[in-house]
Amino acid sequence: MIISSKVKEQILAVRDTGLVNMCDVNGVQRVAFDNDYYELVCFIEENKKDYVNFILYGARE
């Protein structure tokens, strides 16, 4: 699964808030929802494994 640039931007925006540990998937979804990052909320819901791989290993281009 290739993560879109929009979803990557939203992941980094959530990270930059410092409100949640990025490994707390449910917490990330909550912060994303509160910030209107609906693409990220849906992406995590449908592709949790890909989200976790991105957080742990970064982008693979």
Side-chain angles (χ1 to χ4, degrees):
M1 161 67 53
I2 296 177
I3 301 175
S4 73
S5 60
K6 183 166 191 155
V7 170
K8 287 180 187 178
E9 289 172 15
Q10 292 177 356
I11 291 170
L12 298 177
V14 169
R15 181 196 66 189
D16 291 345
T17 68
L19 295 173
V20 64
N21 181 316
M22 297 305 287
C23 293
D24 175 3
V25 178
N26 293 327
V28 170
Q29 282 186 297
R30 188 170 44 256
V31 171
F33 183 84
D34 290 346
N35 287 282
D36 300 327
Y37 300 149
Y38 302 119
E39 294 86 359
L40 177 55
V41 173
C42 292
F43 179 81
I44 291 173
E45 193 66 31
E46 297 170 2
N47 306 284
K48 191 175 291 187
K49 183 178 177 182
D50 293 317
Y51 166 78
V52 171
N53 281 334
F54 179 79
I55 294 303
L56 294 177
Y57 304 112
R60 295 183 185 164
E61 308 285 337

PDB file of all heavy atoms in Angstrom, residues 14-47:
ATOM      1  N   VAL A  14      -0.220  15.462  12.964  1.00  0.00           N
ATOM      2  CA  VAL A  14      -0.629  14.905  14.255  1.00  0.00           C
ATOM      3  C   VAL A  14       0.599  14.724  15.141  1.00  0.00           C
ATOM      4  O   VAL A  14       0.590  15.083  16.319  1.00  0.00           O
ATOM      5  CB  VAL A  14      -1.387  13.560  14.081  1.00  0.00           C
ATOM      6  CG1 VAL A  14      -1.570  12.863  15.418  1.00  0.00           C
ATOM      7  CG2 VAL A  14      -2.737  13.799  13.417  1.00  0.00           C
ATOM      8  N   ARG A  15       1.665  14.210  14.572  1.00  0.00           N
ATOM      9  CA  ARG A  15       2.907  14.028  15.343  1.00  0.00           C
ATOM     10  C   ARG A  15       3.389  15.360  15.916  1.00  0.00           C
ATOM     11  O   ARG A  15       3.779  15.447  17.078  1.00  0.00           O
ATOM     12  CB  ARG A  15       3.989  13.432  14.460  1.00  0.00           C
ATOM     13  CG  ARG A  15       5.302  13.184  15.210  1.00  0.00           C
ATOM     14  CD  ARG A  15       6.454  12.963  14.284  1.00  0.00           C
ATOM     15  NE  ARG A  15       6.722  14.193  13.531  1.00  0.00           N
ATOM     16  CZ  ARG A  15       7.572  14.271  12.519  1.00  0.00           C
ATOM     17  NH1 ARG A  15       8.228  13.208  12.125  1.00  0.00           N
ATOM     18  NH2 ARG A  15       7.766  15.409  11.898  1.00  0.00           N
ATOM     19  N   ASP A  16       3.338  16.395  15.096  1.00  0.00           N
ATOM     20  CA  ASP A  16       3.832  17.701  15.513  1.00  0.00           C
ATOM     21  C   ASP A  16       3.011  18.343  16.624  1.00  0.00           C
ATOM     22  O   ASP A  16       3.500  19.239  17.307  1.00  0.00           O
ATOM     23  CB  ASP A  16       3.918  18.637  14.310  1.00  0.00           C
ATOM     24  CG  ASP A  16       5.017  18.241  13.330  1.00  0.00           C
ATOM     25  OD1 ASP A  16       5.889  17.417  13.708  1.00  0.00           O
ATOM     26  OD2 ASP A  16       5.001  18.735  12.189  1.00  0.00           O
ATOM     27  N   THR A  17       1.768  17.885  16.822  1.00  0.00           N
ATOM     28  CA  THR A  17       0.971  18.434  17.924  1.00  0.00           C
ATOM     29  C   THR A  17       1.545  18.011  19.263  1.00  0.00           C
ATOM     30  O   THR A  17       1.373  18.725  20.257  1.00  0.00           O
ATOM     31  CB  THR A  17      -0.504  17.969  17.871  1.00  0.00           C
ATOM     32  OG1 THR A  17      -0.584  16.569  18.147  1.00  0.00           O
ATOM     33  CG2 THR A  17      -1.170  18.325  16.560  1.00  0.00           C
ATOM     34  N   GLY A  18       2.193  16.847  19.321  1.00  0.00           N
ATOM     35  CA  GLY A  18       2.733  16.337  20.570  1.00  0.00           C
ATOM     36  C   GLY A  18       1.666  15.870  21.547  1.00  0.00           C
ATOM     37  O   GLY A  18       1.947  15.631  22.716  1.00  0.00           O
ATOM     38  N   LEU A  19       0.435  15.723  21.075  1.00  0.00           N
ATOM     39  CA  LEU A  19      -0.674  15.359  21.957  1.00  0.00           C
ATOM     40  C   LEU A  19      -0.799  13.868  22.206  1.00  0.00           C
ATOM     41  O   LEU A  19      -1.477  13.454  23.150  1.00  0.00           O
ATOM     42  CB  LEU A  19      -1.992  15.876  21.368  1.00  0.00           C
ATOM     43  CG  LEU A  19      -2.151  17.386  21.281  1.00  0.00           C
ATOM     44  CD1 LEU A  19      -3.429  17.742  20.526  1.00  0.00           C
ATOM     45  CD2 LEU A  19      -2.154  17.988  22.682  1.00  0.00           C
ATOM     46  N   VAL A  20      -0.167  13.064  21.368  1.00  0.00           N
ATOM     47  CA  VAL A  20      -0.395  11.626  21.448  1.00  0.00           C
ATOM     48  C   VAL A  20       0.855  10.870  21.016  1.00  0.00           C
ATOM     49  O   VAL A  20       1.607  11.334  20.148  1.00  0.00           O
ATOM     50  CB  VAL A  20      -1.618  11.235  20.567  1.00  0.00           C
ATOM     51  CG1 VAL A  20      -1.361  11.500  19.106  1.00  0.00           C
ATOM     52  CG2 VAL A  20      -2.047   9.814  20.790  1.00  0.00           C
ATOM     53  N   ASN A  21       1.072   9.723  21.643  1.00  0.00           N
ATOM     54  CA  ASN A  21       2.117   8.818  21.200  1.00  0.00           C
ATOM     55  C   ASN A  21       1.657   8.229  19.863  1.00  0.00           C
ATOM     56  O   ASN A  21       0.546   7.705  19.765  1.00  0.00           O
ATOM     57  CB  ASN A  21       2.296   7.712  22.248  1.00  0.00           C
ATOM     58  CG  ASN A  21       3.376   6.729  21.892  1.00  0.00           C
ATOM     59  OD1 ASN A  21       3.490   6.271  20.759  1.00  0.00           O
ATOM     60  ND2 ASN A  21       4.167   6.371  22.888  1.00  0.00           N
ATOM     61  N   MET A  22       2.489   8.289  18.847  1.00  0.00           N
ATOM     62  CA  MET A  22       2.087   7.859  17.511  1.00  0.00           C
ATOM     63  C   MET A  22       1.821   6.361  17.415  1.00  0.00           C
ATOM     64  O   MET A  22       1.218   5.904  16.454  1.00  0.00           O
ATOM     65  CB  MET A  22       3.127   8.291  16.482  1.00  0.00           C
ATOM     66  CG  MET A  22       3.271   9.803  16.368  1.00  0.00           C
ATOM     67  SD  MET A  22       1.719  10.669  16.008  1.00  0.00           S
ATOM     68  CE  MET A  22       1.476  10.219  14.303  1.00  0.00           C
ATOM     69  N   CYS A  23       2.257   5.590  18.413  1.00  0.00           N
ATOM     70  CA  CYS A  23       1.941   4.157  18.444  1.00  0.00           C
ATOM     71  C   CYS A  23       0.566   3.894  19.052  1.00  0.00           C
ATOM     72  O   CYS A  23       0.069   2.771  18.977  1.00  0.00           O
ATOM     73  CB  CYS A  23       3.011   3.394  19.213  1.00  0.00           C
ATOM     74  SG  CYS A  23       4.602   3.405  18.365  1.00  0.00           S
ATOM     75  N   ASP A  24      -0.045   4.909  19.636  1.00  0.00           N
ATOM     76  CA  ASP A  24      -1.408   4.807  20.173  1.00  0.00           C
ATOM     77  C   ASP A  24      -2.364   5.081  19.020  1.00  0.00           C
ATOM     78  O   ASP A  24      -2.797   6.206  18.785  1.00  0.00           O
ATOM     79  CB  ASP A  24      -1.602   5.817  21.303  1.00  0.00           C
ATOM     80  CG  ASP A  24      -3.019   5.866  21.845  1.00  0.00           C
ATOM     81  OD1 ASP A  24      -3.877   5.076  21.387  1.00  0.00           O
ATOM     82  OD2 ASP A  24      -3.281   6.713  22.717  1.00  0.00           O
ATOM     83  N   VAL A  25      -2.665   4.031  18.277  1.00  0.00           N
ATOM     84  CA  VAL A  25      -3.434   4.174  17.032  1.00  0.00           C
ATOM     85  C   VAL A  25      -4.796   4.834  17.284  1.00  0.00           C
ATOM     86  O   VAL A  25      -5.196   5.730  16.543  1.00  0.00           O
ATOM     87  CB  VAL A  25      -3.593   2.801  16.339  1.00  0.00           C
ATOM     88  CG1 VAL A  25      -4.424   2.929  15.074  1.00  0.00           C
ATOM     89  CG2 VAL A  25      -2.223   2.213  16.023  1.00  0.00           C
ATOM     90  N   ASN A  26      -5.495   4.411  18.330  1.00  0.00           N
ATOM     91  CA  ASN A  26      -6.795   5.013  18.616  1.00  0.00           C
ATOM     92  C   ASN A  26      -6.652   6.481  18.994  1.00  0.00           C
ATOM     93  O   ASN A  26      -7.472   7.317  18.601  1.00  0.00           O
ATOM     94  CB  ASN A  26      -7.513   4.249  19.734  1.00  0.00           C
ATOM     95  CG  ASN A  26      -7.903   2.852  19.307  1.00  0.00           C
ATOM     96  OD1 ASN A  26      -8.215   2.614  18.150  1.00  0.00           O
ATOM     97  ND2 ASN A  26      -7.877   1.926  20.248  1.00  0.00           N
ATOM     98  N   GLY A  27      -5.613   6.804  19.731  1.00  0.00           N
ATOM     99  CA  GLY A  27      -5.357   8.197  20.096  1.00  0.00           C
ATOM    100  C   GLY A  27      -5.042   9.047  18.880  1.00  0.00           C
ATOM    101  O   GLY A  27      -5.490  10.193  18.766  1.00  0.00           O
ATOM    102  N   VAL A  28      -4.273   8.495  17.961  1.00  0.00           N
ATOM    103  CA  VAL A  28      -3.950   9.215  16.720  1.00  0.00           C
ATOM    104  C   VAL A  28      -5.227   9.483  15.933  1.00  0.00           C
ATOM    105  O   VAL A  28      -5.438  10.588  15.427  1.00  0.00           O
ATOM    106  CB  VAL A  28      -2.924   8.439  15.871  1.00  0.00           C
ATOM    107  CG1 VAL A  28      -2.779   9.057  14.485  1.00  0.00           C
ATOM    108  CG2 VAL A  28      -1.582   8.379  16.583  1.00  0.00           C
ATOM    109  N   GLN A  29      -6.101   8.480  15.864  1.00  0.00           N
ATOM    110  CA  GLN A  29      -7.369   8.682  15.157  1.00  0.00           C
ATOM    111  C   GLN A  29      -8.197   9.779  15.820  1.00  0.00           C
ATOM    112  O   GLN A  29      -8.812  10.589  15.137  1.00  0.00           O
ATOM    113  CB  GLN A  29      -8.176   7.387  15.100  1.00  0.00           C
ATOM    114  CG  GLN A  29      -7.683   6.432  14.046  1.00  0.00           C
ATOM    115  CD  GLN A  29      -8.591   5.239  13.910  1.00  0.00           C
ATOM    116  OE1 GLN A  29      -8.745   4.463  14.845  1.00  0.00           O
ATOM    117  NE2 GLN A  29      -9.182   5.089  12.743  1.00  0.00           N
ATOM    118  N   ARG A  30      -8.203   9.811  17.126  1.00  0.00           N
ATOM    119  CA  ARG A  30      -8.971  10.821  17.852  1.00  0.00           C
ATOM    120  C   ARG A  30      -8.431  12.226  17.562  1.00  0.00           C
ATOM    121  O   ARG A  30      -9.185  13.145  17.261  1.00  0.00           O
ATOM    122  CB  ARG A  30      -8.943  10.521  19.358  1.00  0.00           C
ATOM    123  CG  ARG A  30      -9.836  11.373  20.187  1.00  0.00           C
ATOM    124  CD  ARG A  30      -9.956  10.891  21.635  1.00  0.00           C
ATOM    125  NE  ARG A  30      -8.683  10.501  22.243  1.00  0.00           N
ATOM    126  CZ  ARG A  30      -8.288   9.245  22.453  1.00  0.00           C
ATOM    127  NH1 ARG A  30      -9.067   8.233  22.102  1.00  0.00           N
ATOM    128  NH2 ARG A  30      -7.122   8.986  23.009  1.00  0.00           N
ATOM    129  N   VAL A  31      -7.100  12.390  17.631  1.00  0.00           N
ATOM    130  CA  VAL A  31      -6.493  13.688  17.339  1.00  0.00           C
ATOM    131  C   VAL A  31      -6.735  14.062  15.878  1.00  0.00           C
ATOM    132  O   VAL A  31      -7.051  15.222  15.560  1.00  0.00           O
ATOM    133  CB  VAL A  31      -4.985  13.687  17.670  1.00  0.00           C
ATOM    134  CG1 VAL A  31      -4.308  14.957  17.174  1.00  0.00           C
ATOM    135  CG2 VAL A  31      -4.768  13.518  19.172  1.00  0.00           C
ATOM    136  N   ALA A  32      -6.611  13.094  14.977  1.00  0.00           N
ATOM    137  CA  ALA A  32      -6.864  13.356  13.556  1.00  0.00           C
ATOM    138  C   ALA A  32      -8.305  13.809  13.340  1.00  0.00           C
ATOM    139  O   ALA A  32      -8.558  14.791  12.631  1.00  0.00           O
ATOM    140  CB  ALA A  32      -6.569  12.105  12.729  1.00  0.00           C
ATOM    141  N   PHE A  33      -9.243  13.131  13.967  1.00  0.00           N
ATOM    142  CA  PHE A  33     -10.655  13.507  13.837  1.00  0.00           C
ATOM    143  C   PHE A  33     -10.893  14.915  14.376  1.00  0.00           C
ATOM    144  O   PHE A  33     -11.560  15.730  13.738  1.00  0.00           O
ATOM    145  CB  PHE A  33     -11.534  12.495  14.577  1.00  0.00           C
ATOM    146  CG  PHE A  33     -13.002  12.770  14.426  1.00  0.00           C
ATOM    147  CD1 PHE A  33     -13.686  12.316  13.314  1.00  0.00           C
ATOM    148  CD2 PHE A  33     -13.695  13.493  15.383  1.00  0.00           C
ATOM    149  CE1 PHE A  33     -15.040  12.580  13.157  1.00  0.00           C
ATOM    150  CE2 PHE A  33     -15.047  13.766  15.247  1.00  0.00           C
ATOM    151  CZ  PHE A  33     -15.720  13.306  14.126  1.00  0.00           C
ATOM    152  N   ASP A  34     -10.317  15.217  15.522  1.00  0.00           N
ATOM    153  CA  ASP A  34     -10.495  16.541  16.136  1.00  0.00           C
ATOM    154  C   ASP A  34      -9.922  17.659  15.277  1.00  0.00           C
ATOM    155  O   ASP A  34     -10.346  18.808  15.379  1.00  0.00           O
ATOM    156  CB  ASP A  34      -9.844  16.590  17.516  1.00  0.00           C
ATOM    157  CG  ASP A  34     -10.578  15.740  18.544  1.00  0.00           C
ATOM    158  OD1 ASP A  34     -11.738  15.328  18.280  1.00  0.00           O
ATOM    159  OD2 ASP A  34      -9.986  15.471  19.619  1.00  0.00           O
ATOM    160  N   ASN A  35      -8.960  17.315  14.414  1.00  0.00           N
ATOM    161  CA  ASN A  35      -8.327  18.303  13.537  1.00  0.00           C
ATOM    162  C   ASN A  35      -8.823  18.214  12.094  1.00  0.00           C
ATOM    163  O   ASN A  35      -8.205  18.771  11.191  1.00  0.00           O
ATOM    164  CB  ASN A  35      -6.804  18.143  13.588  1.00  0.00           C
ATOM    165  CG  ASN A  35      -6.234  18.652  14.887  1.00  0.00           C
ATOM    166  OD1 ASN A  35      -6.097  19.843  15.075  1.00  0.00           O
ATOM    167  ND2 ASN A  35      -5.925  17.737  15.801  1.00  0.00           N
ATOM    168  N   ASP A  36      -9.924  17.500  11.898  1.00  0.00           N
ATOM    169  CA  ASP A  36     -10.542  17.354  10.569  1.00  0.00           C
ATOM    170  C   ASP A  36      -9.648  16.652   9.550  1.00  0.00           C
ATOM    171  O   ASP A  36      -9.714  16.914   8.352  1.00  0.00           O
ATOM    172  CB  ASP A  36     -10.990  18.713  10.014  1.00  0.00           C
ATOM    173  CG  ASP A  36     -12.003  19.398  10.911  1.00  0.00           C
ATOM    174  OD1 ASP A  36     -12.803  18.694  11.552  1.00  0.00           O
ATOM    175  OD2 ASP A  36     -11.990  20.648  10.973  1.00  0.00           O
ATOM    176  N   TYR A  37      -8.801  15.734  10.020  1.00  0.00           N
ATOM    177  CA  TYR A  37      -7.959  14.941   9.123  1.00  0.00           C
ATOM    178  C   TYR A  37      -8.669  13.624   8.836  1.00  0.00           C
ATOM    179  O   TYR A  37      -8.217  12.540   9.216  1.00  0.00           O
ATOM    180  CB  TYR A  37      -6.589  14.678   9.752  1.00  0.00           C
ATOM    181  CG  TYR A  37      -5.787  15.916  10.074  1.00  0.00           C
ATOM    182  CD1 TYR A  37      -4.900  15.921  11.145  1.00  0.00           C
ATOM    183  CD2 TYR A  37      -5.881  17.075   9.316  1.00  0.00           C
ATOM    184  CE1 TYR A  37      -4.134  17.034  11.457  1.00  0.00           C
ATOM    185  CE2 TYR A  37      -5.130  18.195   9.621  1.00  0.00           C
ATOM    186  CZ  TYR A  37      -4.261  18.168  10.688  1.00  0.00           C
ATOM    187  OH  TYR A  37      -3.503  19.274  10.993  1.00  0.00           O
ATOM    188  N   TYR A  38      -9.784  13.719   8.141  1.00  0.00           N
ATOM    189  CA  TYR A  38     -10.635  12.552   7.935  1.00  0.00           C
ATOM    190  C   TYR A  38      -9.991  11.499   7.040  1.00  0.00           C
ATOM    191  O   TYR A  38     -10.262  10.310   7.193  1.00  0.00           O
ATOM    192  CB  TYR A  38     -11.997  12.977   7.392  1.00  0.00           C
ATOM    193  CG  TYR A  38     -12.684  13.956   8.318  1.00  0.00           C
ATOM    194  CD1 TYR A  38     -13.006  15.232   7.888  1.00  0.00           C
ATOM    195  CD2 TYR A  38     -12.975  13.612   9.630  1.00  0.00           C
ATOM    196  CE1 TYR A  38     -13.620  16.140   8.741  1.00  0.00           C
ATOM    197  CE2 TYR A  38     -13.582  14.512  10.494  1.00  0.00           C
ATOM    198  CZ  TYR A  38     -13.901  15.771  10.041  1.00  0.00           C
ATOM    199  OH  TYR A  38     -14.492  16.667  10.899  1.00  0.00           O
ATOM    200  N   GLU A  39      -9.131  11.936   6.120  1.00  0.00           N
ATOM    201  CA  GLU A  39      -8.434  10.965   5.272  1.00  0.00           C
ATOM    202  C   GLU A  39      -7.560  10.054   6.130  1.00  0.00           C
ATOM    203  O   GLU A  39      -7.498   8.852   5.906  1.00  0.00           O
ATOM    204  CB  GLU A  39      -7.573  11.680   4.227  1.00  0.00           C
ATOM    205  CG  GLU A  39      -8.361  12.463   3.203  1.00  0.00           C
ATOM    206  CD  GLU A  39      -8.704  13.886   3.654  1.00  0.00           C
ATOM    207  OE1 GLU A  39      -8.356  14.276   4.788  1.00  0.00           O
ATOM    208  OE2 GLU A  39      -9.337  14.600   2.865  1.00  0.00           O
ATOM    209  N   LEU A  40      -6.901  10.642   7.131  1.00  0.00           N
ATOM    210  CA  LEU A  40      -6.050   9.845   8.022  1.00  0.00           C
ATOM    211  C   LEU A  40      -6.890   8.914   8.881  1.00  0.00           C
ATOM    212  O   LEU A  40      -6.529   7.747   9.069  1.00  0.00           O
ATOM    213  CB  LEU A  40      -5.189  10.759   8.901  1.00  0.00           C
ATOM    214  CG  LEU A  40      -4.297  10.055   9.931  1.00  0.00           C
ATOM    215  CD1 LEU A  40      -3.402   9.022   9.271  1.00  0.00           C
ATOM    216  CD2 LEU A  40      -3.486  11.080  10.704  1.00  0.00           C
ATOM    217  N   VAL A  41      -7.998   9.401   9.392  1.00  0.00           N
ATOM    218  CA  VAL A  41      -8.882   8.553  10.200  1.00  0.00           C
ATOM    219  C   VAL A  41      -9.295   7.322   9.389  1.00  0.00           C
ATOM    220  O   VAL A  41      -9.191   6.190   9.868  1.00  0.00           O
ATOM    221  CB  VAL A  41     -10.130   9.328  10.675  1.00  0.00           C
ATOM    222  CG1 VAL A  41     -11.106   8.392  11.371  1.00  0.00           C
ATOM    223  CG2 VAL A  41      -9.740  10.477  11.593  1.00  0.00           C
ATOM    224  N   CYS A  42      -9.734   7.539   8.177  1.00  0.00           N
ATOM    225  CA  CYS A  42     -10.174   6.425   7.316  1.00  0.00           C
ATOM    226  C   CYS A  42      -9.003   5.525   6.938  1.00  0.00           C
ATOM    227  O   CYS A  42      -9.145   4.294   6.907  1.00  0.00           O
ATOM    228  CB  CYS A  42     -10.849   6.966   6.064  1.00  0.00           C
ATOM    229  SG  CYS A  42     -12.432   7.771   6.388  1.00  0.00           S
ATOM    230  N   PHE A  43      -7.860   6.137   6.635  1.00  0.00           N
ATOM    231  CA  PHE A  43      -6.693   5.337   6.263  1.00  0.00           C
ATOM    232  C   PHE A  43      -6.312   4.371   7.385  1.00  0.00           C
ATOM    233  O   PHE A  43      -6.076   3.191   7.138  1.00  0.00           O
ATOM    234  CB  PHE A  43      -5.497   6.237   5.926  1.00  0.00           C
ATOM    235  CG  PHE A  43      -4.278   5.455   5.557  1.00  0.00           C
ATOM    236  CD1 PHE A  43      -4.134   4.949   4.280  1.00  0.00           C
ATOM    237  CD2 PHE A  43      -3.288   5.191   6.495  1.00  0.00           C
ATOM    238  CE1 PHE A  43      -3.018   4.186   3.940  1.00  0.00           C
ATOM    239  CE2 PHE A  43      -2.178   4.437   6.172  1.00  0.00           C
ATOM    240  CZ  PHE A  43      -2.036   3.940   4.891  1.00  0.00           C
ATOM    241  N   ILE A  44      -6.260   4.878   8.614  1.00  0.00           N
ATOM    242  CA  ILE A  44      -5.893   4.021   9.737  1.00  0.00           C
ATOM    243  C   ILE A  44      -6.935   2.921   9.919  1.00  0.00           C
ATOM    244  O   ILE A  44      -6.593   1.760  10.171  1.00  0.00           O
ATOM    245  CB  ILE A  44      -5.719   4.838  11.025  1.00  0.00           C
ATOM    246  CG1 ILE A  44      -4.478   5.731  10.912  1.00  0.00           C
ATOM    247  CG2 ILE A  44      -5.607   3.920  12.242  1.00  0.00           C
ATOM    248  CD1 ILE A  44      -4.312   6.702  12.061  1.00  0.00           C
ATOM    249  N   GLU A  45      -8.205   3.266   9.778  1.00  0.00           N
ATOM    250  CA  GLU A  45      -9.272   2.286   9.947  1.00  0.00           C
ATOM    251  C   GLU A  45      -9.137   1.142   8.939  1.00  0.00           C
ATOM    252  O   GLU A  45      -9.332  -0.027   9.278  1.00  0.00           O
ATOM    253  CB  GLU A  45     -10.632   2.967   9.786  1.00  0.00           C
ATOM    254  CG  GLU A  45     -11.790   2.148  10.241  1.00  0.00           C
ATOM    255  CD  GLU A  45     -11.802   1.886  11.742  1.00  0.00           C
ATOM    256  OE1 GLU A  45     -11.327   2.729  12.512  1.00  0.00           O
ATOM    257  OE2 GLU A  45     -12.295   0.805  12.131  1.00  0.00           O
ATOM    258  N   GLU A  46      -8.752   1.482   7.713  1.00  0.00           N
ATOM    259  CA  GLU A  46      -8.701   0.492   6.638  1.00  0.00           C
ATOM    260  C   GLU A  46      -7.316  -0.135   6.453  1.00  0.00           C
ATOM    261  O   GLU A  46      -7.198  -1.193   5.827  1.00  0.00           O
ATOM    262  CB  GLU A  46      -9.141   1.142   5.326  1.00  0.00           C
ATOM    263  CG  GLU A  46     -10.583   1.628   5.377  1.00  0.00           C
ATOM    264  CD  GLU A  46     -10.970   2.494   4.187  1.00  0.00           C
ATOM    265  OE1 GLU A  46     -10.125   2.695   3.276  1.00  0.00           O
ATOM    266  OE2 GLU A  46     -12.109   2.980   4.179  1.00  0.00           O
ATOM    267  N   ASN A  47      -6.271   0.535   6.960  1.00  0.00           N
ATOM    268  CA  ASN A  47      -4.894   0.095   6.694  1.00  0.00           C
ATOM    269  C   ASN A  47      -4.012   0.215   7.931  1.00  0.00           C
ATOM    270  O   ASN A  47      -2.927   0.786   7.874  1.00  0.00           O
ATOM    271  CB  ASN A  47      -4.285   0.944   5.568  1.00  0.00           C
ATOM    272  CG  ASN A  47      -5.127   0.943   4.325  1.00  0.00           C
ATOM    273  OD1 ASN A  47      -5.155  -0.015   3.580  1.00  0.00           O
ATOM    274  ND2 ASN A  47      -5.834   2.032   4.106  1.00  0.00           N
TER     275      ASN A  47
END
